[in-house]
Amino acid sequence: MCISQVKSRREYEPGSNGTKVIRVVGSTNSKNLIGILLVSIAFGLAARAVGSAGRPFLDFFESLCEVTIRLVRVFLLLTPGGVCFMIAGAVMGVSDIAGEFSKVGKFVLTVTAGIAVLFIMDLLIYFIIARRNPFKFLPHTIKAWFISFATTSPIVSLPEMLQGCDDYGIRPAISRFVCPIATAMKSDGPAVFISCACMFVAQMELSPVPATTVVVIWLLTSVSVLAIPHIPSASIIISITILNSAGVATKSTAYLYAIDWLLDRLRAGVATTTTMVGAAFMHEVSKRKTQKEDTGALNENEDFVSHTPQPLPKIAP
């Protein structure tokens, strides 16, 4: 089945001719998320291919998605109490509390450094390719950044993004196209958090972390970030799902809830700023291309005029 995960291991048995290596194939308690994704994609493509006959099938899963999101929003109301008990349970089973909190602090620094690298790379790309000073544009992103930081959702700050782009002089046709799409699909910040969170929990539970686990985390993170819902702590839920698929215990994920309130706000704020920088980048590239096309058209007109034969002067009788 695509839901259960099969895992093979090697066992060694002593024999008369030496030690024999036996390959044993069995199932694990973790879920085969890669198999689920592949089967889901196959069913989705098939439902689209059959046309109107597959519409009820798609409507069912769209309705299921809406119901699930509604339940998640209700469960989030119970998050403070649940997180308190999760952290308490995790701390009670730790002998070296100072060492555990030191690891959590290093995790926070790692995620913050990764988000900072993304932010700096966006500014460098804007500076190198667009040939504009990004620090002249950043003041127009402050208001949208504060709203995203407070609400942990870049979508809420979308009106302020558009207003900041208009104040800077970005063409509305570009800002109205880039900002909504980038806000809905841009998941570089969550990708940093999910990958770091999965590796953090894996290092807490496994020592050392197998290379196969690292590869599975990388693959599932690359796919999962494309479908992150814009709700608080959604990245933690996806991290737990990935850890289950990789066969890693999720007991240490309680630490993630303790610091997600800060990291989620940092991710949302940086995502808002980089989205607006992307709109400014597209504006500069589009403007340069338009100017180049206008210059080429003007040169063609001048060449046409210069090669047009002039009328002969009239000779008086």
Side-chain angles (χ1 to χ4, degrees), residues 248-290:
V248 180
T250 58
K251 180 181 178 181
S252 298
T253 54
Y255 296 111
L256 302 179
Y257 287 96
I259 43 86
D260 185 60
W261 65 273
L262 174 62
L263 297 179
D264 199 5
R265 282 167 168 77
L266 291 177
R267 297 195 304 270
V270 171
T272 298
T273 303
T274 53
T275 296
M276 297 180 67
V277 172
F281 172 80
M282 292 299 299
H283 170 73
E284 297 295 339
V285 173
S286 175
K287 183 172 66 174
R288 189 183 308 168
K289 184 177 180 181
T290 303

Side-chain angles (χ1 to χ4, degrees), residues 19-313:
T19 304
K20 295 189 300 182
V21 180
I22 302 176
R23 183 171 178 267
V24 180
V25 179
S27 59
T28 63
N29 294 327
S30 57
K31 302 301 180 183
N32 184 13
L33 185 58
I34 295 180
I36 295 175
L37 290 174
L38 292 177
V39 172
S40 300
I41 292 173
F43 271 94
L45 294 176
R48 288 291 185 184
V50 297
S52 59
R55 189 67 247 178
F57 180 81
L58 297 176
D59 291 339
F60 168 75
F61 282 99
E62 289 177 359
S63 176
L64 179 63
C65 180
E66 294 295 331
V67 173
T68 303
I69 292 177
R70 177 62 179 176
L71 289 176
V72 170
R73 292 183 183 275
V74 174
F75 292 152
L76 286 175
L77 299 177
L78 305 176
T79 299
V83 170
C84 178
F85 287 106
M86 288 179 64
I87 296 174
V91 172
M92 290 296 293
V94 174
S95 58
D96 185 11
I97 297 180
E100 296 298 320
F101 278 98
S102 175
K103 295 177 182 178
V104 174
K106 293 178 182 178
F107 166 72
V108 173
L109 290 177
T110 302
V111 176
T112 305
I115 295 175
V117 169
L118 287 175
F119 179 69
I120 294 173
M121 287 180 61
D122 285 342
L123 295 184
L124 286 176
I125 292 174
Y126 179 74
F127 173 74
I128 294 173
I129 299 180
R131 300 176 185 177
R132 291 291 185 272
N133 185 1
F135 295 101
K136 292 183 178 180
F137 175 69
L138 289 181
H140 298 276
T141 67
I142 293 178
K143 191 173 182 179
W145 183 90
F146 273 111
I147 294 177
S148 297
F149 185 86
T151 61
T152 69
S153 177
I155 292 182
V156 178
S157 64
L158 185 58
E160 302 302 330
M161 290 189 204
L162 301 178
Q163 183 62 43
C165 292
D166 293 341
D167 294 340
Y168 184 70
I170 298 175
R171 287 194 302 167
I174 294 178
S175 62
R176 269 64 176 176
F177 175 77
V178 174
C179 290
I181 292 181
T183 302
M185 301 186 63
K186 193 168 178 291
S187 302
D188 47 2
V192 172
F193 175 82
I194 292 173
S195 57
C196 292
C198 291
M199 289 303 302
F200 168 72
V201 175
Q203 290 174 350
M204 296 278 285
E205 300 292 341
L206 304 175
S207 182
V209 181
T212 54
T213 302
V214 177
V215 173
V216 170
I217 290 174
W218 170 66
L219 289 175
L220 294 180
T221 302
S222 302
V223 177
S224 300
V225 294
L226 300 177
I228 295 180
H230 293 279
I231 58 177
S233 301
S235 298
I236 295 182
I237 305 301
I238 294 181
S239 300
I240 295 175
T241 304
I242 293 175
L243 290 170
N244 285 327
S245 301
V248 180
T250 58
K251 180 181 178 181
S252 298
T253 54
Y255 296 111
L256 302 179
Y257 287 96
I259 43 86
D260 185 60
W261 65 273
L262 174 62
L263 297 179
D264 199 5
R265 282 167 168 77
L266 291 177
R267 297 195 304 270
V270 171
T272 298
T273 303
T274 53
T275 296
M276 297 180 67
V277 172
F281 172 80
M282 292 299 299
H283 170 73
E284 297 295 339
V285 173
S286 175
K287 183 172 66 174
R288 189 183 308 168
K289 184 177 180 181
T290 303
Q291 291 176 351
K292 186 176 180 180
E293 291 177 352
D294 293 342
T295 303
L298 181 61
N299 293 334
E300 290 179 359
N301 292 333
E302 291 178 353
D303 293 339
F304 176 77
V305 172
S306 61
H307 289 85
T308 301
Q310 300 295 327
L312 296 175

